[in-house]
Amino acid sequence: MAEKAARIAKCTRRTNETDITLELNIDGKGQSKIDTGIGFFDHMLTSFAKHGFFDLNVTVKGDLYVDCHHTIEDVGIVLGKAIKEAVGEKKAIKRFGNFFLPMDETLVMCAIDLSGRPYLVYDLNLTTERVGYFDTQMVKEFFYAVSYAAEMNLNLKQFSGENDHHIIEAAFKAFAKALDEATTYDRRLNGRVLSTKGTL
């Protein structure tokens, strides 16, 4: 297979609520530099980068004096746009990815399709209001934003788990592993897009 171009995207978003700069390298080594102002969210994005072997730099100035909503949702939007831009025309990639992630008592599955059609199916059962300064309601909002900005089908399903920290972290790691698989090149495609339409 011929040498592939680097799949790197740098995206920004500046509003009255947030100022975000994000750089993503799909073909990275799992290195990251994250500063969102929300410690648990930084931990989740760092885990996403590490376990997906993505290089990810994120800097955010958000209106955290209001709450964490705008910061987390807007990072999801920008990450989704970066994924879409970095993957490009999706030639020769597997397109589909899935992973079952165990974490102590927790088991979470993530399945994705880089279809060009946004859709989120979310089935996580979180029982506390927050982990650290991270509102647990924002897990769904984050993945919704990613799925729509990246134009991907994204399914998250919890099979077991009681500790919200474990459930959320398993979801982020499973998403990383599924995305890593979906963006992997398949030599059998010989540069083609995996679609009967010929395009995604």
Side-chain angles (χ1 to χ4, degrees):
M1 184 178 288
E3 186 76 16
K4 297 291 183 181
R7 295 185 292 177
I8 299 172
K10 185 172 183 179
C11 297
T12 60
R13 178 179 173 87
R14 292 183 177 89
T15 71
N16 291 333
E17 299 168 342
T18 59
D19 184 346
I20 300 171
T21 300
L22 184 149
E23 185 170 358
L24 172 69
N25 181 357
I26 292 288
D27 304 305
K29 298 179 180 178
Q31 300 172 344
S32 62
K33 187 175 181 181
I34 314 292
D35 183 8
T36 68
I38 306 165
F40 183 74
F41 192 36
D42 290 356
H43 178 43
M44 293 303 97
L45 293 174
T46 299
S47 294
F48 164 77
K50 176 65 71 176
H51 292 277
F53 296 95
F54 309 126
D55 290 344
L56 179 66
N57 294 326
V58 183
T59 303
V60 185
K61 294 179 181 177
D63 57 356
L64 295 179
Y65 63 90
V66 176
D67 65 11
C68 65
H69 190 289
H70 300 141
T71 293
I72 295 170
E73 182 179 39
D74 286 6
V75 169
I77 292 170
V78 178
L79 177 60
K81 288 181 177 179
I83 291 169
K84 180 182 176 182
E85 181 180 326
V87 173
E89 296 180 344
K90 306 171 188 174
K91 291 181 178 179
I93 65 169
K94 291 184 176 181
R95 173 182 164 180
F96 300 95
N98 68 87
F99 201 84
F100 283 83
L101 199 294
M103 187 170 183
D104 296 341
E105 87 293 350
T106 296
L107 180 64
V108 172
M109 181 276 296
C110 179
I112 66 173
D113 175 11
L114 297 175
S115 60
R117 299 184 306 276
Y119 205 92
L120 174 68
V121 176
Y122 177 89
D123 186 12
L124 302 182
N125 181 30
L126 303 174
T127 58
T128 60
E129 289 186 4
R130 64 181 56 87
V131 178
Y133 294 101
F134 182 103
D135 292 349
T136 54
Q137 284 186 334
M138 291 310 302
V139 178
K140 183 176 182 180
E141 298 300 324
F142 172 79
F143 284 112
Y144 178 90
V146 171
S147 66
Y148 271 74
E151 298 179 1
M152 68 166 69
N153 288 180
L154 171 55
N155 280 253
L156 285 166
K157 183 172 181 60
Q158 176 186 341
F159 288 89
S160 64
E162 299 175 357
N163 183 299
D164 282 357
H165 184 134
H166 294 166
I167 296 165
I168 297 167
E169 187 165 348
F172 272 81
K173 289 178 178 177
F175 174 56
K177 302 301 287 184
L179 184 61
D180 183 38
E181 180 180 10
T183 56
T184 298
Y185 290 116
D186 189 330
R187 292 177 180 272
R188 295 170 295 180
L189 288 167
N190 195 29
R192 298 188 304 273
V193 173
L194 184 58
S195 172
T196 54
K197 302 178 185 69
T199 186
L200 290 171

